[in-house]
Amino acid sequence: MKYFSRFLIALITLGTIACQNSVPGMAGTTPPNHQAWDQLLKAHVSPTGIVDYKGFINDKAKLDAYLKTISDNAPARKTWSKNEQLAYWINAYNAFTVKLIVDNYPVKSIRDLGPALKIPLIKDVWHYKFFKLGGQESSLDEIEHSILRKEFEEPRIHFAINCASVSCPPLLNEAFTATKMESQLDRVAKTFVNDKSRNKISANAVEISSIFSWFKGDFTKNGSIIDFLNKYSTVKISSNAKVSHLDYNWNLNE
């Protein structure tokens, strides 16, 4: 009996450790390979981020196979590196967003999708739990706000994740990877900030994306919004520049 009790305690301990190391549900032992997603992006997304959803529909089996790999291999906090986790969550967000459009195509805007009963800011498409991660139902909102924004405190993720809309930062036509994460985040930040169709920047006045208003706190933890913009802008902006925000175009980015 004594040995059986020790055996039970050991099993419980191992189970507790496994749960603590996973986000969410059961974690994969090693990070998944994002090559299939990379191939899909290169095939169906232009260098400027225009998405060919009909092409993704034709490759739906390959997309679903990749997403199954994502679903079955949730990150282990204590064993995966920060960049491995970032690559997983960014790619998961973007790939599941594409799946949402593919499964409901044609659609004018992503905001037309989601639960039938819509309550503003509570029941929208981003709260719609249409996929599982590690066996647990999840949503795009949970990936963005409960994980990416909360756990990593990396403002550049706002330029990496894509909401399938014209005014969103362009969907990068390659998968994010741990080895290239820093250069990729810098690239999407510079591309977005200097994109004249999404931000109008001059030395003394800036008309910038509403993203900088919605998530202002993420961009101003170490200075003003002008300080943040000047890290990536090719135009040097005065600290006293007038700041306003542009309307957001939610039409599909195709």
Side-chain angles (χ1 to χ4, degrees):
M1 188 69 181
K2 177 174 66 176
Y3 296 108
F4 181 70
S5 298
R6 289 177 180 175
F7 176 71
L8 282 179
I9 292 171
L11 283 179
I12 293 170
T13 302
L14 286 172
T16 302
I17 292 172
C19 289
Q20 289 174 342
N21 284 342
S22 63
V23 181
M26 294 181 66
T29 55
T30 58
N33 188 312
H34 301 292
Q35 185 177 2
W37 178 231
D38 187 76
Q39 292 169 349
L40 286 166
L41 289 168
K42 284 179 167 60
H44 305 305
V45 181
S46 77
T48 58
I50 303 300
V51 183
D52 175 15
Y53 289 105
K54 292 180 181 178
F56 272 109
I57 290 171
N58 291 334
D59 264 341
K60 189 173 184 295
K62 188 172 183 177
L63 174 62
D64 286 343
Y66 170 72
L67 289 174
K68 185 179 187 307
T69 300
I70 290 294
S71 294
D72 293 344
N73 291 274
R77 278 192 179 100
K78 293 184 179 180
T79 57
W80 292 23
S81 71
K82 174 186 174 182
N83 284 349
E84 287 170 342
Q85 293 181 58
L86 271 173
Y88 174 95
W89 292 117
I90 292 171
N91 289 331
Y93 186 99
N94 289 337
F96 278 113
T97 297
V98 168
K99 178 176 172 55
L100 184 65
I101 301 300
V102 164
D103 287 349
N104 292 278
Y105 194 86
V107 62
K108 183 178 180 181
S109 170
I110 190 173
R111 295 204 299 180
D112 296 335
L113 306 177
L117 178 61
K118 291 181 170 59
I119 304 173
L121 303 180
I122 299 175
K123 289 292 183 181
D124 59 25
V125 65
W126 290 279
H127 293 85
Y128 178 34
K129 294 190 175 185
F130 66 95
F131 57 90
K132 291 184 177 182
L133 297 175
Q136 295 186 13
E137 291 187 342
S138 190
S139 68
L140 296 173
D141 181 87
E142 289 174 4
I143 292 178
E144 180 178 8
H145 302 294
S146 299
I147 298 172
L148 282 170
R149 293 183 63 217
K150 181 179 180 180
E151 295 185 13
F152 295 95
E153 296 188 348
E154 173 52 79
R156 293 173 297 177
I157 62 101
H158 292 292
F159 315 126
I161 58 175
N162 180 269
C163 64
S165 303
V166 171
S167 287
C168 286
L171 179 60
L172 188 65
N173 68 340
E174 64 181 50
F176 282 83
T177 64
T179 55
K180 297 193 293 184
M181 181 59 62
E182 186 62 28
S183 63
Q184 287 176 316
L185 288 176
D186 258 354
R187 192 198 326 168
V188 294
K190 290 174 183 176
T191 297
F192 183 73
V193 168
N194 294 291
D195 185 340
K196 294 180 180 179
S197 68
R198 292 173 171 88
N199 299 284
K200 302 180 187 303
I201 294 176
S202 64
N204 298 311
V206 295
E207 295 177 83
I208 51 179
S209 169
S210 293
I211 289 173
F212 292 110
S213 173
W214 299 332
F215 305 109
K216 184 178 180 179
D218 293 358
F219 298 108
T220 56
K221 289 182 178 179
N222 298 306
S224 68
I225 195 67
I226 298 297
D227 292 331
F228 181 86
L229 291 170
N230 272 332
K231 292 180 182 178
Y232 306 103
S233 176
T234 56
V235 176
K236 181 66 176 178
I237 309 167
S238 167
S239 60
N240 298 317
K242 180 182 177 181
V243 178
S244 59
H245 298 91
L246 297 168
D247 291 335
Y248 212 77
N249 184 346
W250 288 101
N251 287 332
L252 200 64
N253 58 340
E254 64 175 347

